[in-house]
Amino acid sequence: MAESEITPELAAEHGLTAEEYARVLAIMGRAPNITELGIFSVMWSEHCSYKTSKKWLRTLPTEGPQVIQGPGENAGVIDIGDGLACIFKIESHNHPSFIEPYQGAATGVGGILRDVFTMGARPIANLNALRFGAPDHPKTRHLVAGVVAGIGGYGNCIGVPTVGGECQFHESYNGNILVNAMTVGIAPTDRIFYSAAAGIGNPVVYVGSKTGRDGIHGATMASAEFSEDSEEKRPTVQVGDPFTEKLLLEACLELMATDAIVAIQDMGAAGLTSSSVEMSSKGGVGIELDLGAVPRREEGMTPYEIMLSESQERMLMILRPGREDAARAVFEKWELDFAVIGRVTETGRLVLTENDATVADIPVAPLVENAPEYDRPWEPTPPSPEIAAGDVIAKPADEALLALLASPDHCGKGWIWHQYDHLVMNDTVIRPGGDAAVVRVQDTQKALAVTTDCTPRYCHADPVRGGAQAVAEAWRNLTATGARPLAATDNMNFGNPERPRVMGQFAGCIQGMGEACRALSFPIVSGNVSLYNETSGKGIHPTPVIGGVGLLDDAALAVGIGFTDPDLTILLVGETQGWLGCSAYLRELLGQEEGAPPPVDLDAELRNGDFTRMQILARRARACHDLSEGGLAVALAEMALAGGIGAEIAAPPGEIPLHAWLFGEDQARYLIATKNPAAVLADAEAAGIPLAAIGSTGGEALTLPGTAPISLTALREAHEGWLPGYMDGA
């Protein structure tokens, strides 16, 4: 396409506003050609530039004594002692997974794996956070099947265990499902690799798979609303090959054991464009690329297509001079493409050539530094009224519990995680289905606890409170295993930020998250923003997913949620007021999504969590479970089912209505099952921690106050029956 054909209309088709295109003209001093226009369009897309979210993300705490690398690199890095670092990140692949669920989810897993091993880490665990539309929506069953198969297909083939996550259903996701993938890896602290290009004249090397036409404009697709023609965007979804990714992982780690690599960057969103621009920008240098040297699998590809392709399983490296042959030998041994495609220059420009002709020439610093940044108008979410427990209809406790356990959000998700290999590598200490998974760190006594958490209906009702609760629950879930929470990664999934109410949801969630992270010393070290999750003007619930990582110095001290023995005393840590507003009880039993979500007392979260962790590490807790959605009754049922042991629960103290005590979603609470209640109670009294003995374990039924015993068989049928039946079309 000739330069004369570049028009404001064509720029608009590439997602650039009139003001943004005027800025392009000012930077270039001329009209861009089609390749240059494509580069600006993807680098200035919401997905790559964070032009709406940057202002707010800067307010989050990102530092701490444990933090080696915060946001700004491929993944976050924290110190876990003994010369080892944990490298982790969560990222979205929402739009592609809606269009092509198997490949969208699979390539989401592949992309986040590359973000982690690009930095020198061997991945040890994958997680995923999934949100689907209403179960009765005609696409939901198809999307669930495809996404789960895609996650399992990629993760299982590459040999990294998928150990945890979450899955919820709500009509707000009918037109925009959420597929958030998280990877955790381990690296020596002295062998961490970064992406800043350096060394004038150093070779720029392309490794991995060949480049094709798949994924072109994937970044811009992820930065726009869907419409009724979203199916036509299927060609923008990448196609993944986990077997090639496994080879790429091993080849990169082998080369990283040498001194050959100066810098390395995954070719993710926007492919060769983003990787080359980010590397040159961070290093303050220029890069010159010969596109004729790029390995291709399709004939006749234009420079525009080569630069914007999002073909998977590719990396860009800067090597030390003279190390090309040694590096080539490594990648050829692993049967991967290897090509020297350029060099680092002192010009500060991205210069692309083909057949000795210059096809693009862009100054890198203005491309990055002059990218748009918006302070969009926003409106706070009006407060929801508080709902008194006495105003909520009381259902029989046994019927209510069975209904909750059989509901789509709270049923067992074994149908999903049994399709994932969660034991490969033989280091999984606590499997999926609990508060957090626990994975052993090889050649040490240590283990990492990992989790993902968010309650979107809280965030929809009160973004500030919901954002704080998402962080607090992730922190609690790590604590409930005995781990010391170290840091978090976030995946900010929201609707169209050009709508002030949606922008207010984003701002509110960030405010609440920041308050919780500071109070809990739980910094955000990496993450991803996914906006424009809307279809035909209908947006998703605000969904700021928090991925958390915690450390156990001794893996043997980790506890799960399952009751381990009969005759254990069940202790409830924390204060219960019976908060039913915005609760699962209200939604699932009464069909109401209203009321203010529960308050989040961050001081109480810290005190109660530190106390609970102390009891676990002192070996006084045989089992532990945090209380969240569904409240006390659901947590008790989950503990009984996980351990195969029943329990009998006493009547609530004071004047709290029974249904509020059993199903209220008050925060900062845990259940501890112990053989030594006297010692735990004494510690709680000394520390001023609210603690009450509420029952004991034993038998083959769960007996709640005022009800007949509910057999474990009945509980299990309710809990484990819904999802398999739904997927079978029952």
Side-chain angles (χ1 to χ4, degrees), residues 458-459 462-469 505 507-513 515:
Y458 290 176
C459 298
D462 186 330
V464 178
R465 194 175 285 186
Q469 191 275 339
Q505 293 172 343
C509 285
I510 287 283
Q511 178 187 335
M513 289 164 54
E515 291 171 359

Side-chain angles (χ1 to χ4, degrees), residues 333-355:
K333 182 185 82 170
W334 291 99
E335 300 180 342
L336 295 165
D337 277 285
F338 177 99
V340 178
I341 65 168
R343 64 188 184 92
V344 178
T345 69
E346 73 283 357
T347 65
R349 304 181 76 86
L350 176 67
V351 178
L352 310 178
T353 64
E354 188 175 51
N355 299 324

